[in-house]
Amino acid sequence: MLAENIFLKIINRQLPAKIIYEDDLCLAFHDINPQAPVHVLIIPRKEIRTHSDITEEDKLLLGHLHLVAAKLARQLGIDNGYRIIINCKEGAGQTVPHLHFHLLGGRIMGWPPG
Ligand code: AMP
């Protein structure tokens, strides 16, 4: 079972977070347990539990999240090399049941990922 959706609490300002960007569709904030010098989470305001739950209706939203990720990567100075990760469901390491992009950079990334 995935845990409680704490990201909704961040969206609703019931839980503090280091928010670095927000608009009418999404927000971005620093991960509380960074796995790289830059580790930002980008989340839609819309409640989507997992990547597997996206629908045709979400096409524009998903494109928007990617544009925000690219913009933030430039602003954060990591656009010489960054990685975007979406963990989908427990088997891939998803712990928060709200779709999110991990934007990681500032160090050399290994491959294959763990
Ligand atoms: P995932 O394991 O892909 O679901 O990613 C969830 C991420 O959320 C992890 O990298 C956590 O460190 C991060 N996280 C959990 N709680 C918070 C929080 N309150 N503020 C910021 N990041 C969080």
Side-chain angles (χ1 to χ4, degrees):
M1 277 287 287
L2 289 172
E4 183 195 4
N5 185 355
I6 51 166
F7 291 170
L8 271 188
K9 292 191 173 167
I10 290 177
I11 292 169
N12 295 328
R13 300 298 202 274
Q14 293 164 317
L15 198 66
K18 291 183 185 165
I19 295 171
I20 58 167
Y21 175 84
E22 66 180 316
D23 60 31
D24 53 338
L25 293 177
C26 70
L27 61 162
F29 51 91
H30 289 286
D31 196 293
I32 205 167
N33 182 23
Q35 301 301 313
V38 174
H39 186 173
V40 164
L41 300 174
I42 303 164
I43 68 172
R45 290 185 188 276
K46 180 180 175 184
E47 275 190 76
I48 302 173
R49 276 180 69 81
T50 77
H51 186 266
S52 174
D53 295 309
I54 59 175
T55 67
E56 287 284 322
E57 185 185 278
D58 301 316
K59 270 184 184 170
L60 282 176
L61 172 61
L62 292 164
H64 181 73
L65 296 177
H66 277 286
L67 288 170
V68 168
K71 184 167 135 183
L72 289 178
R74 284 191 294 275
Q75 281 178 7
L76 294 165
I78 58 166
D79 64 331
N80 59 331
Y82 60 87
R83 187 168 289 171
I84 293 169
I85 295 172
I86 300 170
N87 295 322
C88 181
K89 301 186 177 172
E90 292 99 323
Q94 183 178 3
T95 56
V96 180
H98 188 107
L99 178 67
H100 48 285
F101 288 11
H102 294 259
L103 173 64
L104 296 146
R107 66 166 168 81
I108 300 295
M109 300 286 165
W111 192 263

